[in-house]
Every structure is written in C-alpha cells, then in structure tokens.
Amino acid sequence: MIKIAHESPISIFPQVQSWTDYDYALVHLFEESPEYLELFKKALESGREVILDNSIFELGSAFDMKKFAGWTTEIKPTWYIIPDALEDSLETRMNAVQWNAHYREKVPGKCIGVVQGRTYQDIIDCYQFLDKEID
C-alpha cells in the first residue's frame, strides 16, 4: 500500500490532512511559527504519523544537526530525515556517522536517509552506506 503525504501551508492544513495518510513537517518552520509547530504536535497526539524533514531544499543546506535533534526530541515524530548534503555523497555519509554517534540513541522515532551524489557511483556508494546505517 502506498501512503501519501504533502507539505502544507497552515491555512489549508486540515484540508490536506483529509487527503493524505500522514503529515510532513519542515523543521525550520517550527522556529518561525508556533502555530505550525502546534499543528504537528496535535497531529501526533491524534495518532497521525509525522515525518520531520531537515528542510534542506528550503534552506539550501540541512538544518543545524544539534537543533534538529532538539526538535526531534521535543515533538517525537514517527520518522525523521537525518541531515544530508545536496548532491554530496561524502558529506551525507559523514553526517550519518555524526548523527549516529551523537544523537541516534537519544532521539525518538526512526531515521530516514536521503541518498545524495553527483555521479552514479556517488549514489551507489551513498545508498550502500546508508542502507547499513539508518532505519
């Protein structure tokens, strides 16, 4: 079964929830909007699954790892996307090592990795590494 989620602005969040199977949160918006944060806390309380994203596409680089761990600990998402690096296989892998060493056992939820790279070999290397390092 395929599950569907979609990012949503606050103004149509309840409507988007009625069309989707789970909710997708952008971590950087928690700091910008207490209302946005509250929507996801309520979603989790009601039993909805939530994926917490590291906002890499919105910010150009992943949200600060330590602050991301703090938000993950606070809201306790079902899943979270560990900080990666756009098109950078090596840095993404290094981030996974750092995440596992400092935060993995301390934060709730299951982690998701995003395969990054510029070449086909980069993508293969990143996939094979992350496959062993994340949920």
Side-chain angles (χ1 to χ4, degrees):
M1 179 172 144
I2 295 174
K3 290 186 176 184
I4 297 172
H6 202 285
E7 295 170 26
S8 172
I10 294 170
S11 61
I12 61 169
F13 191 80
Q15 186 174 14
V16 170
Q17 279 187 313
S18 72
W19 299 332
T20 59
D21 300 301
Y22 63 96
D23 301 316
Y24 194 89
L26 296 170
V27 70
H28 76 285
L29 295 179
F30 290 168
E31 294 187 340
E32 295 177 16
S33 172
E35 183 181 2
Y36 185 82
L37 173 60
E38 195 59 31
L39 289 171
F40 289 95
K41 285 182 175 182
K42 286 181 180 177
L44 286 159
E45 287 171 10
S46 73
R48 292 215 17 125
E49 292 183 45
V50 170
I51 290 182
L52 181 58
D53 185 73
N54 66 50
S55 299
I56 194 168
F57 289 107
E58 294 75 18
L59 300 175
S61 61
F63 194 77
D64 177 79
M65 193 176 292
K66 185 175 182 179
K67 289 166 91 179
F68 185 75
W71 283 116
T72 304
T73 301
E74 181 175 335
I75 72 157
K76 299 172 182 63
T78 314
W79 297 87
Y80 58 87
I81 300 172
I82 61 172
D84 53 325
L86 288 175
E87 297 185 2
D88 191 329
S89 175
L90 183 58
E91 187 173 344
T92 295
R93 290 180 278 154
M94 288 173 32
N95 284 355
V97 169
Q98 184 178 357
W99 180 266
N100 287 344
H102 298 286
Y103 306 109
R104 177 96 179 263
E105 297 300 319
K106 298 175 186 174
V107 299
K110 293 187 177 183
C111 62
I112 297 171
V114 176
V115 175
Q116 296 285 355
R118 291 179 192 235
T119 69
Y120 186 65
Q121 190 61 52
D122 284 347
I123 292 167
I124 291 170
D125 294 343
C126 193
Y127 174 84
Q128 289 175 338
F129 182 84
L130 291 177
D131 185 44
K132 295 176 184 129
E133 297 294 321
I134 58 157
D135 297 316

